[in-house]
Amino acid sequence: RAALGAGDLDEVFAVLGRPHAFSGVVVHGAHRGRTIGFPTANVDDVPEMLPPDGVYAVRVEGLGGGVMNVGVRPTVAGAEAKRTQEVHLFDVDRDLYGERLRVHVIGRIRGEQKFSGIDALRAQIDEGGAKLGRLVDEAKKSASATPRELAAQLDAELKALVDTGKQAAAASAHL
């Protein structure tokens, strides 16, 4: 619990032997993600502990990989912002309202941040989504792999992207 609360997902994995996961029901949100081309599943009624606010690479059981934002969405939310969990799934184009999702948190991409506006937010999502999308496509090309092997491969590729993001953040901090 302490490692998860501190956002130390490597330690969480070491203790659990797997990525941290949580379950919740998809509820209606403000539909902002859909209007900028990135629909999200707003996961509510989560009984498990969540990681700190930020952007995470995730895998949702039965649906595949994606990106999750945990936090108050400072770019679009007003003063009464409520902490939410929003998951953008790659290659999923169906109604998920009312479904219970099991979300595996693979790695932290970055902390939550406020952008100058919707266009800047969309550009950031485009950049990160394109990178993660390519990783997902590569994982799917392995036709002989079992679903468990594909999930492990996707987890490894998502984790590599997270590590690359950490290295970029560390390099820019030294500038």
Side-chain angles (χ1 to χ4, degrees):
R1 288 185 156 278
L4 182 61
D8 187 349
L9 297 179
D10 291 333
E11 178 65 16
V12 171
F13 186 89
V15 170
L16 297 177
R18 60 169 174 76
H20 172 66
F22 66 90
S23 298
V25 176
V26 179
V27 299
H28 286 276
H31 303 279
R32 281 189 202 98
R34 181 181 320 257
T35 64
I36 63 171
F38 297 94
T40 59
N42 295 279
V43 185
D44 200 11
D45 192 25
V46 176
E48 297 93 348
M49 186 174 174
L50 293 165
D53 292 358
V55 179
Y56 297 86
V58 298
R59 182 175 42 82
V60 177
E61 286 182 14
L63 296 173
V67 179
M68 173 180 70
N69 184 76
V70 175
V72 297
R73 301 158 300 155
T75 303
V76 297
E80 294 125 28
K82 174 187 164 200
R83 188 172 194 239
T84 62
Q85 302 74 235
E86 297 178 303
V87 178
H88 171 68
L89 292 163
F90 307 120
D91 301 327
V92 175
D93 186 22
R94 67 181 177 100
D95 185 343
L96 297 173
Y97 296 115
E99 290 189 34
R100 180 165 286 281
L101 302 184
R102 183 81 174 152
V103 180
H104 298 261
V105 184
I106 307 304
R108 184 178 173 97
I109 296 171
R110 63 173 171 78
E112 187 174 50
Q113 66 187 76
K114 183 173 183 169
F115 292 92
S116 60
I118 293 295
D119 289 337
L121 173 62
R122 182 183 300 124
Q124 175 68 30
I125 294 171
D126 277 339
E127 180 181 325
K131 289 177 186 174
L132 283 172
R134 283 192 299 275
L135 292 175
V136 170
D137 288 344
E138 289 172 20
K140 287 181 178 177
K141 288 179 185 173
S142 180
S144 62
T146 66
R148 184 179 300 257
E149 290 168 335
L150 283 174
Q153 182 180 355
L154 177 59
D155 286 357
E157 290 172 348
L158 290 169
K159 190 74 168 159
L161 181 66
V162 169
D163 291 342
T164 300
K166 285 180 185 176
Q167 291 168 0
S172 67
H174 289 94
L175 296 178

